Amino acid sequence: MFKGISRGLFSVVAFAAIAGCNSTDVNGLKPTGDQAQTAQPAVIQGACPQVYLRDGTASLDKYANGGKGDPSKIVYQASIAATTRQCTLGQNSMTVTVVAQGRLVGGPLGKPGKIVLPIRVAATDGETTLYSELTNFEVELPATMTTQFIFTKADVTIPGGAGNLAKIYVGFDEGPYKTK
């Protein structure tokens, strides 16, 4: 008897929690003063462009000079394992916060210290590039020669009317430094 009640109660509580996650009203409170002008509704994840990794951009192997392809000459290896995003809709644009979780491992020629990882975030709508920026992201490689990192790019702005084909890409890019 208690199992049936517990399952029913759990279902009601879980549903209420999930429903609360999609709500933009916080206990019926309305923004006042300066908050009224800057408050922007969050976008339901289904309307927020997904984040993808392009082939060949999820990992980066850095070799000592002249050692490309030689495992004994690896300075470090970096990889991106997971991504997510959050969108906020403005009057004419959507601002996307892109987050990528990764791992950095020192190689045989590696040493502890700061490593600069070239991470590009780009947004496209079909064949049209809406946003592209390369960030030199610093990660501290500890004496244990392995660490995890969280990369966050909070100001990816795309047109609010971007089509259903809009996609966000994140990955390593050793190409020339470019901005929007």
Side-chain angles (χ1 to χ4, degrees), residues 108-125:
L109 297 181
K111 58 184 177 182
K114 284 188 190 207
I115 304 290
V116 177
L117 301 175
I119 300 177
R120 180 172 300 279
V121 175
T124 63
D125 187 1

Side-chain angles (χ1 to χ4, degrees), residues 25 37-38 40 55 57 60 68 76 105 114 123 152 160-161 176:
D25 183 18
Q37 295 174 352
T38 60
Q40 296 178 346
D55 289 340
T57 67
L60 175 66
K68 188 165 182 140
Y76 66 82
V105 178
K114 284 188 190 207
T152 302

Side-chain angles (χ1 to χ4, degrees), residues 55-138:
D55 289 340
T57 67
S59 64
L60 175 66
D61 295 342
K62 188 68 171 181
Y63 293 90
N65 288 338
K68 188 165 182 140
D70 182 352
S72 68
K73 306 279 181 165
I74 293 176
V75 178
Y76 66 82
Q77 294 179 311
S79 61
I80 296 174
T83 62
T84 190
R85 82 283 190 213
Q86 178 181 0
C87 295
T88 305
L89 191 57
Q91 286 184 353
N92 299 319
S93 64
M94 180 181 292
T95 302
V96 184
T97 299
V98 177
V99 180
Q101 182 269 328
R103 185 171 178 86
L104 178 64
V105 178
L109 297 181
K111 58 184 177 182
K114 284 188 190 207
I115 304 290
V116 177
L117 301 175
I119 300 177
R120 180 172 300 279
V121 175
T124 63
D125 187 1
E127 297 295 317
T128 305
T129 300
L130 303 173
Y131 177 95
S132 180
E133 186 169 343
L134 181 66
T135 301
N136 288 318
F137 182 69
E138 289 187 1

